[in-house]
Structures are given as structure tokens and as C-alpha cells.
Amino acid sequence: MTRLSTQLLLAGVVLTTALGGCSDQKTTEAPQPQGSAPISSTAQGQFTLPPVAPITPTSANTEPTGVPPAVAPPQVDGALFTDPLRVTTAWMRQFCQTDFMEPINGNLTRAATYATLEATAADTTHGDTAQSYQQMQNQKLATRCDQVEASINPEAPTTPSMVYVQVSAARTQLADGRPFQTLPLVSTRRVVRGGDGRWLVDAAVDAG
């Protein structure tokens, strides 16, 4: 072997060794999800995930976090019946909340304080049947509501004794005290003023 060949061979060995050493030190960055906490990597290529906030369980006597509180029983407040929006809001708070521990259509019985007899009768025809009420009891179903809002429909006819009010609420559904879904509940009701001067919620004019 010539002296030149020996030098080239030695140079190749040194270059190969150097490249091998560099490949051993190379690490791969984990993809970084947008909007998440940073993920750090260690020298050994292991990744450390961001800490997760612990979930605090609730006791049997405490409603789960995020569930609106139960509504108070209906109150016969004379001032409330002088305002169609206030009486409709009070009606919705009672109408929206249901509970398997109440008698069948207990929400309609409570809401009747703020409604005409005709409206309560019509709502009852669309309420729970004996079969649906039994299923409600078997599954321990209930609903709780908040974010109740009411406004007069400006496009509907209005008279001194009749207005149309759109009322809405966020209804949280529960099974055995635990929430599993929140959906909007919206209805447009005719609100009428009787001969005694009181405003009362009357018939529904939509499918809500």
C-alpha cells in the first residue's frame, strides 16, 4: 500500500467516526399542538407532558359544579303581575325546571301561578304521560335552568291587554344529579292582562 493510499484510508476512518458520533447526539422534537401548554424533551428523548388539573369529586349532598341551583317555589308578588316581562320570566323559571321526585308535570303545576287556566291545560296535553313519567323516575332525570331572558316581540301585534313575549333559558339536563347536556329552551307566548289588571302567560304560539 502506498503512502497516499494509507493517508486516504485513515482520513475515511476519522470522518466515519465523527459522523457516527454526531448521529448519537441527535434528538427529535415532538410536534407542538397549537393552543396547548409546551411539551419539554429530555436528553434521553423522553417527553414531559404539562400537568393536568385534578378533578375534585362532589359529595352526594352537593350539586355538581356548573348545575344551576333549584328554583324557589312560586311567589305571589303583586308587583310582579304588573309587568308582562317579569311575569313571563317567573313563569319560565318554574316551567323549565323538572324533577323526577315531583308529581307528574310538577313544573306545570308550579308555573300555573303565573299562567292562565287555558295555557296550563294546553301545556298539560303536551306534558308527561304516565309512561314518560315512569321513565323519568327510573332514570332519575331532572332539569335545572338559568340565563332566563324575556323580550316583547316588536313585530307581533300589541294592545293594552295583550303582548307577545319571547322567553328563553339554558336548560341543563341531569341524570341522578349529574349534568350530561345543556340545551336552549325558547318559546313565544301570548301574555294577557285580565280584568283584575294582572298580566298572565297565555297560550304558546310556537313549537318551543
Side-chain angles (χ1 to χ4, degrees):
M1 181 179 298
T2 64
R3 181 177 180 180
L4 178 59
S5 299
T6 301
Q7 291 177 342
L8 292 176
L9 178 60
L10 291 175
V13 172
V14 171
L15 179 60
T16 302
T17 303
L19 292 175
C22 292
S23 62
D24 290 340
Q25 298 298 321
K26 185 178 181 181
T27 59
T28 303
E29 293 292 335
Q32 180 65 43
Q34 293 184 354
S36 62
I39 301 176
S40 60
S41 60
T42 65
Q44 291 78 19
Q46 298 177 344
F47 299 103
T48 303
L49 296 177
V52 178
I55 299 175
T56 304
T58 58
S59 66
N61 298 323
T62 304
E63 288 186 331
T65 301
V67 176
V71 69
Q75 302 294 322
V76 182
D77 180 357
L80 183 148
F81 292 93
T82 64
D83 186 337
L85 295 182
R86 289 184 62 190
V87 75
T88 305
T89 299
W91 171 86
M92 173 59 93
R93 293 187 187 282
Q94 303 294 336
F95 177 87
C96 187
Q97 176 176 297
T98 62
D99 198 305
F100 70 95
M101 298 184 68
E102 287 187 320
I104 186 171
N105 292 317
N107 64 318
L108 302 182
T109 301
R110 287 183 278 102
T113 301
Y114 309 109
T116 64
L117 294 176
E118 295 77 10
T120 301
D123 290 335
T124 301
T125 63
H126 300 288
D128 279 315
T129 63
Q131 181 179 3
S132 65
Y133 177 63
Q134 185 62 54
Q135 293 176 345
M136 178 179 174
Q137 289 187 309
N138 292 342
Q139 300 177 35
K140 298 182 179 180
L141 299 180
T143 58
R144 295 289 184 269
C145 301
D146 60 1
Q147 303 178 36
V148 180
E149 298 180 354
S151 60
I152 294 177
N153 186 342
E155 299 180 358
T158 299
T159 71
S161 60
M162 184 190 68
V163 295
Y164 287 88
V165 176
Q166 184 173 28
V167 60
S168 62
R171 172 183 268 184
T172 299
Q173 299 177 328
L174 304 93
D176 198 13
R178 297 186 177 276
F180 64 89
Q181 185 173 237
T182 298
L183 296 172
L185 177 64
V186 182
S187 180
T188 298
R189 309 288 300 210
R190 183 168 61 241
V191 185
V192 297
R193 183 161 59 180
D196 59 358
R198 300 192 314 157
W199 288 96
L200 293 174
V201 175
D202 198 38
V205 294
D206 63 358

